[in-house]
Amino acid sequence: MSLAKILTNGGTNNHLPKRIILVRHGECLANADINVYGTTPNHKIELTEKGIEQAKQTGIKIKKLVSENGDNNWRVFFYVSPAERTRRTLREMGGSFPKRRVMGVKEEYRLRELNFGNYHDPAGILKVKEERYTYGRFYYRVPGGETGAEVYDRISSYIECLRRDIERKLFCHDPCQETNIIIVTHGLSSRIFLMKWFDWTIEQFEGLNRMKTSEFQVLQLGHRGEYSLAFHHDDKKLQEWGLSPEMIEDQKCKAYGPTGVNGKRTCDVYPFMDCFAEDSDDENTII
């Protein structure tokens, strides 16, 4: 069962945020020049001028999205990774949001990027990226750094705290209020977030592609109390991010109901179900 379904627990969902929006930071100096990894601590890497402009445009786009229905009762709450590039992205985005619309901002250390160790020469970085791809990004340990599995553990811890805050109605005191949680983070951290939120398998995670710099993903709440990427993003975009046809159909199921958009059931996505015996009238008989 999804976290969103657990949160509603069969009751009303008017205390749930309307959207959870994942934002990857704008272009940083290391995105433009890999040599930066050898001279600057990872958490201190700054945005390029292009990245600053990207972040401003992302703020404009998200502001337009959350206010598009003309509802005057929308609010935003920000979480941000402590890295300089994510904090600067938030600052540039912030110019689009009046203070009265901002419920709060929290610097969340569990949203930080995968720890790549300390300084690295370009050749070492390229070797690590090649090995991660062939070994598997979830289990591969960066020399002196983390595995994707360890990032999963801390992102899971963050999501559980987020869930408790939602249960306490921290974000929605007024049932008429439309709240949007905006999370400014990194490429891998955002993919791990989606993996945990939607109960995706390791194999499904390995097929995912990271967002472009300053791109964002919108998880929007449906009438059935589940969040889905399918409200805001079309099949082409979901495919670009690496979702398989089955994962895309599941997103549509979460958005439009158990029969999907074409009248066909698309929600049977539990892993390992194919290894069990078929049902029969006599449960002692295996067919």
Side-chain angles (χ1 to χ4, degrees):
M1 181 178 290
S2 72
L3 287 172
K5 269 294 188 184
I6 293 172
L7 289 171
T8 56
N9 195 27
T12 61
N13 59 16
N14 57 12
H15 68 286
L16 299 180
K18 176 67 175 294
R19 302 176 188 88
I20 299 173
I21 302 175
L22 301 172
V23 182
R24 187 184 173 205
H25 60 79
E27 182 189 76
C28 69
L29 294 173
N31 296 138
D33 180 6
I34 197 172
N35 292 291
V36 171
Y37 286 117
T39 58
T40 307
N42 192 295
H43 62 283
K44 292 185 178 181
I45 296 173
E46 300 181 355
L47 296 185
T48 62
E49 289 300 318
K50 176 182 176 181
I52 291 171
E53 182 58 30
Q54 285 179 332
K56 291 178 180 178
Q57 292 302 314
T58 294
I60 293 171
K61 291 175 183 177
I62 293 178
K63 160 69 179 315
K64 181 179 179 181
L65 169 67
V66 300
S67 62
E68 63 184 356
N69 293 329
D71 188 348
N72 198 38
N73 210 22
W74 62 271
R75 298 290 187 275
V76 291
F77 190 102
F78 289 92
Y79 288 95
V80 61
S81 159
E84 176 57 33
R85 55 192 180 275
T86 44
R87 294 196 295 186
R88 182 63 185 274
T89 297
L90 171 62
R91 289 187 178 278
E92 299 301 331
M93 289 173 57
S96 294
F97 298 91
K99 289 182 179 179
R100 66 185 178 89
R101 299 290 187 181
V102 181
M103 301 177 66
V105 181
K106 182 176 181 181
E107 189 170 87
E108 176 52 68
Y109 300 96
R110 288 168 292 189
L111 291 173
R112 66 189 183 273
E113 178 63 294
L114 173 76
N115 185 351
F116 277 89
N118 297 323
Y119 299 105
H120 289 284
D121 63 280
I125 286 288
L126 292 174
K127 182 174 183 294
V128 164
K129 289 185 175 183
E130 181 179 338
E131 287 182 347
R132 282 178 70 211
Y133 180 77
T134 56
Y135 190 93
R137 291 171 291 185
F138 192 78
Y139 289 117
Y140 180 80
R141 180 177 296 283
V142 176
E146 288 183 294
T147 65
E150 289 167 332
V151 178
Y152 180 90
D153 289 341
R154 55 179 164 84
I155 293 293
S156 296
S157 171
Y158 162 68
I159 288 178
E160 288 305 311
C161 290
L162 176 63
R163 179 180 64 84
R164 287 195 295 271
D165 285 344
I166 293 174
E167 287 179 333
R168 290 167 47 218
K169 301 185 180 180
L170 178 65
F171 306 108
C172 294
H173 302 293
D174 181 355
C176 296
Q177 179 176 298
E178 190 174 278
T179 305
N180 302 273
I181 294 177
I182 302 174
I183 302 171
V184 186
T185 185
H186 307 266
L188 181 71
S189 299
S190 59
R191 280 173 282 161
I192 292 286
F193 183 100
L194 294 176
M195 176 189 180
K196 171 63 177 177
W197 189 271
F198 291 122
D199 295 322
W200 288 342
T201 66
I202 294 171
E203 289 77 16
Q204 288 171 321
F205 162 78
E206 293 289 356
L208 298 177
N209 302 315
R210 69 182 181 184
M211 290 184 282
K212 299 171 184 173
T213 52
S214 223
E215 197 171 18
F216 58 93
Q217 295 167 322
V218 181
L219 288 71
Q220 185 162 314
L221 183 66
H223 295 299
R224 299 173 63 246
E226 293 197 83
Y227 288 90
S228 173
L229 293 163
F231 283 112
H232 188 73
H233 307 291
D234 60 20
D235 288 13
K236 182 178 179 181
K237 176 55 69 174
L238 296 179
Q239 290 168 1
E240 179 183 314
W241 287 332
L243 275 70
S244 68
E246 293 76 19
M247 295 163 74
I248 292 173
E249 286 304 311
D250 184 53
Q251 290 300 309
K252 293 178 181 177
C253 172
K254 286 175 168 56
Y256 304 111
T259 56
V261 294
N262 297 318
K264 298 179 181 179
R265 184 168 181 81
T266 58
C267 299
D268 299 325
V269 294
Y270 290 108
F272 305 111
M273 289 300 291
D274 60 333
C275 72
F276 296 101
E278 295 295 332
D279 293 329
S280 68
D281 293 334
D282 183 356
E283 290 188 357
N284 295 319
T285 301
I286 301 297
I287 60 174

